[in-house]
Amino acid sequence: MTNASLYVLGVDYGTDSVRTILVDARSGAEKAAAVFYYPRWKKQLYCNPAENQFRQHPLDYIEGLEATIKSCLEQVPDAAAHVKAISVDTTGSSPVAVDKTGTPLALTPGFEENPNAMFVLWKDHTSIKEAQSLNEHATNYPTNYLKYVGGIYSSEWFWAKLLHILRADESIRSNLFSFVEHCDWIPYLLTGGTDVMQLKRGTCSAGHKALWSKEWGGLPPQSFFSDWDPLLDGITSRLFTDSYTADQSVGTLSKEWAQRFGLPETVVIGAGAFDAHMGAVGGQIEPYHLSKVMGTSTCDMLVAPIDAIGDTCVNGICGQVPGSVIPGMMGLEAGQSSFGDSYAWFKNLLSWSIKTVIPNSSKQEQEALWIDQIIPSLTKEAEKLDWNESSPLALDWFNGRRTPDTNQEVKAAISGLNLATDAPSIFYAIVEATCFGAKAIVERFNNEGVKVQGLIGLGGVARKSPFIMQMMADVINMPIRIHRSEQTCALGAAMFAATVAGIYDKVESAMTAMGQGFEFEYFPDPAKTALYQRRYQKYLELGKFEENR
């Protein structure tokens, strides 16, 4: 350790856990890492999957923040004095109701166990009716306030979730002052914010989920929301007008958090963003390359020069916002509502008998010896199959469809089954369906005039499953490069932290200096691409049938 050492912390809030890495800001080398699994979420407290309700308690986030940062600092003695900045990414849209101080209502007396007072997780679809009504309402206005979010508003996003909890819970209506995304709240927490009107919102969350745009001077006018539902009267005056790209500072570490971490108060805190957006940066995204963060769902990011995009609006995606990924470039987002979750569903289906039949005393043994081997075993057998046009066919809409053309009410399906169909065949069909869903996104970009020139694979599935990645390359008929980093989202946050601290003049410079490069590339197999193209047409036909029945 020398006085010249420079460190930054990248904090990545995922669906199941928060991960923090301590990074050498000059080389990008990961010096320490820590993971904290949310204890309340692990028990599925405050969730009701039958109603698509998924909520997370802010204490899970706070406890995880403190535990992971402290752990990283403990792993590298004397590093604390040389930490220059912290940046944070989170899932999204995952907003929460707050009071005037910016405190989530779940942290205030009387709301500790109220799910409506907690963060409404990205995969929560309880606001489908609200999203549908917003889409209908928007057609009444000469200005198309939905054009920069693909033309269709989703139940996964900010406004639909806000109206839903206001309609569902009178106690929330009486106590909610404002509504804040998770990625904006954590930086506010770290800087010791006490007035929510001073909370700085990120361009990423504002533009992709909250209908913010410079074109109409911030949020749509108050009348747009009041006419949609009177419960939203006055809400825009309690939200925000400006937004901040992730290379901007929102302040410095508060005295309280500096003492808790053992860090200096001079540590700069960067504006927050969503995990896939910072993950694309950590994965060294390039213009017109679709950066696919593949986990429970997928988020697909693409950047392009703003002048080149011009007036083009890609319909049916999750938005296009200047500066949302890389400041100074147009950031476009798409994705699939269920990716790894589709495989997890099938694993859980097959493991039902194991969990039910084996006595409770053997639960740990069954998990270790049986359930954890299901996906690897299915993969091994699926690779042996002679796949053909009459093989089973599936739709990947296990959690609705995010893009293209969001519709959270559509359902998954599996067709072409007979008495000879076995588990590996169904697994193959599900994997193929998720790859077909990815192909549909690429086709939408291409058909709308934004040509995808390459694929970048990020996240756990990309690194751990050659079977899925090879099929992805074959189905899309395009090579896919797999990034070396296991923590691209946290690394992207670290790159932004280094930029916010002034170590780099722009995040592209941080990407070049701190990037870890690519470790593998999958190329399409010409012998399989033609078959997948024919089956993809059947996938589209099955989708139309399922959506219209």
Side-chain angles (χ1 to χ4, degrees):
M1 174 76 71
T2 70
N3 291 333
S5 299
L6 298 174
Y7 292 104
V8 289
L9 287 159
V11 183
D12 168 38
Y13 280 93
T15 299
D16 300 319
S17 63
V18 55
R19 296 163 290 277
T20 296
I21 59 175
L22 177 71
V23 177
D24 183 319
R26 289 197 174 93
S27 67
E30 182 182 301
K31 298 299 184 179
V35 180
F36 178 92
Y37 291 91
Y38 312 133
R40 298 161 189 81
W41 170 256
K42 190 173 184 179
K43 297 176 182 178
Q44 287 292 279
L45 300 180
Y46 320 115
C47 297
N48 186 345
E51 296 182 3
N52 289 313
Q53 175 181 301
F54 297 96
R55 310 292 166 86
Q56 291 187 328
H57 201 288
L59 286 178
D60 275 353
Y61 298 160
I62 295 171
E63 292 166 4
L65 180 69
E66 184 167 10
T68 56
I69 289 182
K70 283 184 174 180
S71 175
C72 284
L73 295 175
E74 289 169 358
Q75 293 173 52
V76 184
D78 302 323
H82 303 280
V83 172
K84 300 303 179 183
I86 302 172
S87 283
V88 176
D89 71 71
T90 75
T91 65
S93 177
S94 300
V96 68
V98 300
D99 63 15
K100 289 182 179 181
T101 70
T103 302
L105 294 186
L107 297 179
T108 64
F111 290 93
E112 297 91 342
E113 303 297 321
N114 184 339
N116 294 320
M118 300 174 189
F119 285 88
V120 186
L121 191 63
W122 63 270
K123 66 191 287 183
D124 186 296
H125 293 161
T126 52
S127 58
I128 288 176
K129 291 181 178 179
E130 286 75 17
Q132 291 173 337
S133 69
L134 178 55
N135 287 315
E136 295 169 2
H137 173 67
T139 63
N140 298 323
Y141 289 79
T143 299
N144 181 5
Y145 293 114
L146 305 185
K147 70 177 182 179
Y148 295 124
V149 293
I152 307 173
Y153 202 80
S154 171
S155 64
E156 293 184 351
W157 300 347
F158 185 92
W159 287 105
K161 290 177 173 179
L162 171 58
L163 183 56
H164 177 76
I165 65 169
L166 290 176
R167 285 176 171 176
D169 195 325
E170 191 281 331
S171 66
I172 299 295
R173 292 199 299 273
S174 300
N175 289 274
L176 177 147
F177 181 81
S178 191
F179 208 47
V180 180
E181 286 283 359
H182 183 195
C183 66
D184 298 327
W185 182 71
I186 295 295
Y188 176 77
L189 177 73
L190 288 172
T191 56
T194 58
D195 177 2
V196 73
M197 297 308 298
Q198 302 301 314
L199 188 153
K200 294 180 178 179
R201 317 275 182 144
T203 298
C204 172
S205 60
H208 284 278
K209 312 303 179 187
L211 302 180
W212 180 92
S213 174
K214 287 185 177 180
E215 182 174 321
W216 38 81
L219 298 172
Q222 175 60 59
S223 59
F224 176 79
F225 299 107
S226 301
D227 293 346
W228 177 31
D229 193 300
L231 290 177
L232 296 172
D233 280 345
I235 190 63
T236 57
S237 66
R238 307 198 303 273
L239 291 173
F240 59 99
T241 300
D242 300 321
S243 75
Y244 300 81
T245 53
D247 61 341
Q248 294 179 278
S249 168
V250 298
T252 55
L253 194 62
S254 71
K255 181 178 180 179
E256 176 189 352
W257 280 103
Q259 291 176 345
R260 289 169 75 166
F261 293 144
L263 289 172
E265 293 179 47
T266 54
V267 172
V268 180
I269 307 300
F274 292 142
D275 46 8
H277 295 240
M278 285 193 172
V281 170
Q284 295 173 276
I285 192 171
E286 300 172 24
Y288 297 104
H289 283 63
L290 200 61
S291 179
K292 300 178 63 63
V293 182
M294 291 177 271
T296 53
S297 67
T298 75
C299 282
D300 299 351
M301 310 306 305
L302 186 146
V303 296
I306 293 174
D307 291 344
I309 295 293
D311 295 330
T312 300
C313 285
V314 181
N315 291 313
I317 64 170
C318 301
Q320 54 190 76
V321 179
S324 65
V325 181
I326 294 178
M329 299 194 76
M330 183 68 74
L332 299 95
E333 177 189 354
Q336 295 164 264
S337 293
S338 178
F339 194 79
D341 268 352
S342 300
Y343 318 141
W345 168 81
F346 192 51
K347 182 181 88 168
N348 291 336
L349 184 71
L350 295 181
S351 64
W352 178 86
S353 59
I354 299 174
K355 293 179 179 179
T356 303
V357 174
I358 296 178
N360 288 333
S361 60
S362 302
K363 288 292 184 183
Q364 289 184 338
E365 180 180 357
Q366 60 161 327
E367 290 281 350
L369 297 181
W370 297 95
I371 296 177
D372 289 347
Q373 295 302 313
I374 289 177
I375 295 298
S377 298
L378 286 171
T379 298
K380 182 177 179 180
E381 295 304 313
E383 290 175 327
K384 302 175 183 177
L385 294 174
D386 179 20
W387 208 243
N388 55 66
E389 289 196 48
S390 62
S391 296
L393 184 71
L395 283 175
D396 57 314
W397 302 336
F398 286 89
N399 196 22
R401 184 181 65 231
R402 180 178 294 158
T403 56
D405 304 320
T406 184
N407 186 340
Q408 302 302 344
E409 289 193 305
V410 295
K411 306 297 182 184
I414 304 174
S415 67
L417 305 179
N418 59 39
L419 291 176
T421 304
D422 56 15
S425 296
I426 296 176
F427 177 69
Y428 195 123
I430 293 172
V431 171
E432 182 187 54
T434 59
C435 293
F436 284 157
K439 181 179 178 68
I441 292 171
V442 172
E443 287 200 338
R444 176 57 58 92
F445 277 112
N446 289 341
N447 293 339
E448 294 283 320
V450 180
K451 300 297 184 181
V452 176
Q453 298 177 5
L455 303 175
I456 296 174
L458 312 171
V461 177
R463 290 178 51 79
K464 296 176 182 178
S465 180
F467 174 65
I468 297 173
M469 290 302 98
Q470 182 60 58
M471 193 184 301
M472 182 81 69
D474 294 340
V475 166
I476 300 178
N477 196 15
M478 184 177 290
I480 180 168
R481 289 178 293 162
I482 308 303
H483 199 267
R484 187 179 307 278
S485 174
E486 295 185 7
Q487 301 286 1
T488 51
C489 294
L491 180 58
M495 290 174 178
F496 273 110
T499 307
V500 170
I503 299 169
Y504 298 100
D505 60 336
K506 56 184 179 179
V507 75
E508 293 97 317
S509 301
M511 289 167 61
T512 299
M514 300 172 67
Q516 297 182 10
F518 300 89
E519 66 176 350
F520 201 79
E521 186 168 10
Y522 296 88
F523 295 91
D525 181 349
K528 295 183 178 179
T529 54
L531 170 64
Y532 285 131
Q533 179 59 29
R534 294 192 296 272
R535 286 181 57 81
Y536 176 67
Q537 298 306 313
K538 293 184 177 181
Y539 165 87
L540 295 178
E541 293 171 5
L542 179 61
K544 290 179 181 178
F545 173 80
E546 182 64 29
E547 194 163 6
N548 295 324
R549 73 183 177 90

